[in-house]
Amino acid sequence: MGTRLALRIQERFEDLTRSEQKLAQFLLDRPDEILGTSATELAGFAGVSKATAARLFRNLGYSDFNDVRLQAREERNRTGPVQQIPMPQVSATAATTVPVHLQVETANLIRTFEELRSDVLNQAAEQLAAAGRVWVAGLGIENGLAQYLRTLLARVRPGVHLISENASIWPEELASTGPNDALVIIAVRPWPQHISTMLNFAKTTRLKSIVITDPTNVGKAQRKGALVLNCHVSTPWSELTQTSVLSMAQLLASALINRLGQKAEIRRNLIANLAEEFEDDRDR
Amino acid sequence: MGTRLALRIQERFEDLTRSEQKLAQFLLDRPDEILGTSATELAGFAGVSKATAARLFRNLGYSDFNDVRLQAREERNRTGPVQQIPMPQVSATAATTVPVHLQVETANLIRTFEELRSDVLNQAAEQLAAAGRVWVAGLGIENGLAQYLRTLLARVRPGVHLISENASIWPEELASTGPNDALVIIAVRPWPQHISTMLNFAKTTRLKSIVITDPTNVGKAQRKGALVLNCHVSTPWSELTQTSVLSMAQLLASALINRLGQKAEIRRNLIANLAEEFEDDRDR
DNA sequence: AGGTTTATGAAACTCTTGTTTCAGTAATTA
DNA sequence: TAATTACTGAAACAAGAGTTTCATAAACCT
């Protein structure tokens, strides 16, 4: 679909005067030229006077040239619905190139978030907002991501804890949790057995649990009463990419911020200021 | 590769004043905004005065703002639109919706990887492959990401260590490093002072260093002799998103795998088998 | 702390851009 | 061909953009 300006011109092209048409044609030929080019210049390119340019835009129904430019800018920013980016097919042996990487990542992100129901996200945010304490868990490589999510959440609300990777001390760590708490688990395939243990515990304690996982584990997690945030993590070769998992963590934190409103803002500024002071201290 | 303006800013970023940096950062984050936006507006977005804007452009070596715009336009004409997916504009107060989140993430990924020169990536992979040991560092929220990258790299080659977040024990940790080692640092703005210390150390020890960072710190890192992997991390609101950072880590690991070939494969399978056995043990 | 340097935005100023007016030209009609 | 109408660009005008100046504030030295 063309821009609104282009459509408007096409409709009325015949009604325009000779020199208006000259300019109009130029605009049709190079629609992207409107951004960053002044009306005077456009007129110059088309070989007509500034006055004609002013008249043309008015005749097309705009109040101003500024009006035209604003609309063009807005339209560029709104660049229609995201188009499906297919997952590239790559022979197993070929080296990963940067463009392929980009395409894989983009495809996973798009699938993940076009599929995500915003009511599920909001429910998750609601649970995190209402919880007395929040526990974040991730095993193996997901531990780093869990730590990341923990920091993100801790900036926004108090009482966010990272569950140790050492399963043997879970009893101590989880002993004090109750139905008022929330548990966020990051776990993609291969699904660690421990996670099931943890989810079972959560279910019996009536701990609200949110699981960020990949499509193969959605069912399992849901069956244990967890709210599931599903992330696409596949690549054309055998590895996984956790980019969409991190992105989901980021979105979850954003959703919590929205949910908490002012309260989150206050805490965030407090922390930012403290951090700044620490940096300053070290400078001296 | 970035625009000439972006390069110029990155080179001189630290020499700029506080509010010049605010504006410069905005320009780095949204390079496409220069077209079709007046200097006054840009200054407004960045929260600085028109005067500062004028000064910035002069300080960067342009004679005029007009000069800047002309060059930007010329560059776009030479290389096509800066990016297909623009960063959406969002009012500061609006809640983050899922589609907006998706668009932000996609825009950052695309910018990051369309700009990434594959020879730089390969050089980084080469250094990681050739190094005797690899040290991975990340402070604050980046520590989680560093841990993630560490795991990723450790699956593929031996001798990959995570540097503790506790700066006071760095002397011990880094004591045994030498010119044969490689250091990977993950640090986005606000740039922690400690990172500079670490980079200085690396430079004097002739430690090869790779820095994963955001556009505002590229110059600083390069000047300390590091190989820089530049990641776009901005959002239309005030926070940052580290999704592209994680993705970069992922790509770096992939590149290393490609570089190591068979050797990586063997180690990876070994580790996968071990992990499986552990899981099995616990089932019983 | 006091003095010096540096950085900053408000406001004055200059220059460019876009609009409007108007007189001259071209096209149209009788 | 003369009268009428429509179109056009030059120039006057108004609005706004970008630059420079300057007083004030912040940072930095002793």
Side-chain angles (χ1 to χ4, degrees):
Chain A
M1 213 201 5
T3 64
R4 229 175 319 164
L5 172 63
L7 292 176
R8 197 102 191 81
I9 292 178
Q10 285 162 359
E11 262 172 39
R12 310 226 15 226
F13 194 79
E14 286 83 46
D15 308 340
L16 302 177
T17 70
R18 251 178 123 57
S19 41
E20 281 176 335
Q21 285 190 356
K22 275 210 279 185
L23 178 52
Q25 192 180 67
F26 182 83
L27 293 175
L28 287 176
D29 289 343
R30 324 208 9 202
D32 47 331
E33 210 62 36
I34 290 140
L35 287 165
T37 309
S38 71
T40 307
E41 284 176 296
L42 291 174
F45 287 142
V48 300
S49 70
K50 300 197 290 175
T52 303
R55 273 191 292 264
L56 170 62
F57 295 120
R58 156 126 340 150
N59 287 346
L60 289 173
Y62 296 91
S63 68
D64 244 359
F65 175 65
N66 206 38
D67 201 10
V68 179
R69 193 171 24 202
L70 283 178
Q71 199 183 81
R73 213 200 294 179
E74 182 221 318
E75 244 161 39
R76 183 205 51 179
N77 289 338
R78 197 155 34 70
T79 305
V82 188
Q83 65 281 36
Q84 276 288 11
I85 294 184
M87 184 68 73
Q89 305 255 340
V90 171
S91 68
T93 57
T96 317
T97 63
V98 176
V100 170
H101 172 80
L102 174 58
Q103 200 181 339
V104 171
E105 300 284 53
T106 313
N108 275 318
L109 278 182
I110 290 178
R111 283 200 198 146
T112 300
F113 293 108
E114 291 205 329
E115 195 177 298
L116 176 65
R117 285 171 41 188
S118 61
D119 60 308
V120 173
L121 177 67
N122 289 333
Q123 226 175 310
E126 179 60 38
Q127 289 188 4
L128 291 182
R133 298 204 217 168
V134 175
W135 304 85
V136 183
L139 298 181
I141 198 167
E142 281 93 26
N143 190 251
L145 299 179
Q147 190 185 320
Y148 181 85
L149 177 58
R150 211 245 70 184
T151 310
L152 233 40
L153 296 179
R155 283 181 181 171
V156 176
R157 57 151 292 165
V160 182
H161 305 281
L162 183 65
I163 292 179
S164 154
E165 223 179 332
N166 180 355
S168 60
I169 62 172
W170 286 0
E172 281 86 346
E173 292 200 307
L174 292 173
S176 55
T177 62
N180 194 26
D181 292 354
L183 171 66
V184 185
I185 292 177
I186 300 182
V188 303
R189 65 177 181 255
W191 180 269
Q193 199 51 50
H194 282 332
I195 295 295
S196 294
T197 315
M198 206 185 273
L199 275 174
N200 284 333
F201 168 81
K203 197 171 182 185
T204 56
T205 332
R206 298 200 191 292
L207 202 61
K208 304 267 183 297
S209 47
I210 300 165
V211 176
I212 300 179
T213 189
D214 73 278
T216 61
N217 296 303
V218 170
K220 201 183 299 180
Q222 275 174 343
R223 232 163 292 124
K224 302 203 184 271
L227 201 60
V228 175
L229 299 174
N230 187 16
C231 299
H232 290 266
V233 295
S234 68
T235 66
W237 46 94
S238 63
E239 290 153 80
L240 301 181
T241 170
Q242 314 252 24
T243 303
S244 63
V245 174
L246 187 89
S247 188
M248 184 65 83
Q250 200 92 38
L251 179 61
L252 183 59
S254 286
L256 177 59
I257 291 173
N258 290 336
R259 181 64 193 62
L260 290 175
Q262 195 85 55
K263 233 188 286 182
E265 205 55 54
I266 292 170
R267 185 176 169 88
R268 212 155 31 141
N269 290 336
L270 187 72
I271 290 176
N273 290 340
L274 277 172
E276 221 167 89
E277 279 180 41
F278 272 114
E279 274 295 316
D280 286 355
D281 282 357
R282 296 200 167 122
D283 284 352
R284 284 181 209 126
Chain B
M1 227 212 336
T3 64
R4 229 176 318 164
L5 172 63
L7 292 176
R8 194 100 194 82
I9 294 179
Q10 285 169 356
E11 262 171 37
R12 310 226 17 227
F13 193 79
E14 295 126 87
D15 307 339
L16 302 176
T17 68
R18 248 176 126 61
S19 38
E20 281 176 334
Q21 286 191 355
K22 274 210 277 184
L23 178 55
Q25 187 183 87
F26 183 85
L27 294 174
L28 286 176
D29 288 345
R30 327 216 356 207
D32 48 327
E33 212 61 37
I34 289 143
L35 289 165
T37 309
S38 69
T40 306
E41 281 177 297
L42 291 174
F45 287 143
V48 302
S49 70
K50 298 197 289 173
T52 302
R55 272 190 294 264
L56 170 64
F57 294 119
R58 157 127 340 151
N59 286 346
L60 289 174
Y62 296 91
S63 67
D64 243 1
F65 174 65
N66 207 37
D67 202 12
V68 179
R69 196 172 16 206
L70 283 178
Q71 198 183 329
R73 209 200 299 176
E74 183 224 315
E75 244 162 42
R76 185 207 50 182
N77 289 340
R78 192 149 32 74
T79 65
V82 183
Q83 79 256 351
Q84 293 85 339
I85 298 190
M87 185 65 71
Q89 301 203 349
V90 171
S91 69
T93 56
T96 317
T97 63
V98 176
V100 170
H101 173 79
L102 174 58
Q103 200 182 339
V104 171
E105 299 285 52
T106 313
N108 276 318
L109 278 182
I110 289 178
R111 270 192 214 159
T112 300
F113 293 108
E114 291 206 329
E115 201 175 295
L116 177 64
R117 287 171 38 189
S118 61
D119 61 308
V120 173
L121 177 66
N122 289 333
Q123 226 175 310
E126 178 60 38
Q127 289 188 4
L128 291 182
R133 299 202 217 168
V134 175
W135 303 84
V136 183
L139 299 180
I141 197 166
E142 280 93 27
N143 191 252
L145 299 179
Q147 190 185 323
Y148 181 84
L149 177 58
R150 209 239 82 178
T151 311
L152 234 38
L153 295 179
R155 282 181 182 170
V156 175
R157 57 152 291 165
V160 183
H161 305 281
L162 184 67
I163 292 180
S164 153
E165 222 179 336
N166 180 357
S168 60
I169 61 172
W170 286 358
E172 282 85 345
E173 292 199 309
L174 292 173
S176 55
T177 62
N180 193 27
D181 291 355
L183 171 66
V184 186
I185 293 176
I186 301 181
V188 303
R189 64 177 183 253
W191 180 269
Q193 198 52 49
H194 283 332
I195 296 293
S196 294
T197 315
M198 206 185 272
L199 276 174
N200 284 333
F201 169 81
K203 197 173 182 186
T204 55
T205 332
R206 299 200 190 293
L207 202 64
K208 302 265 182 300
S209 46
I210 299 165
V211 176
I212 301 179
T213 189
D214 74 279
T216 62
N217 295 305
V218 169
K220 201 183 298 183
Q222 275 173 343
R223 229 161 292 124
K224 299 200 186 279
L227 201 61
V228 175
L229 299 174
N230 187 15
C231 299
H232 290 267
V233 296
S234 70
T235 67
W237 46 93
S238 64
E239 289 153 82
L240 301 181
T241 170
Q242 314 252 24
T243 304
S244 64
V245 174
L246 188 90
S247 189
M248 185 64 83
Q250 201 91 37
L251 178 60
L252 183 59
S254 286
L256 177 59
I257 292 172
N258 290 336
R259 180 63 192 61
L260 291 175
Q262 195 85 55
K263 232 189 284 182
E265 205 54 55
I266 292 171
R267 183 176 169 90
R268 210 148 40 134
N269 290 336
L270 186 72
I271 291 176
N273 291 340
L274 278 171
E276 224 167 84
E277 278 180 42
F278 273 113
E279 274 295 316
D280 286 356
D281 281 358
R282 299 208 163 112
D283 282 353
R284 282 183 209 124

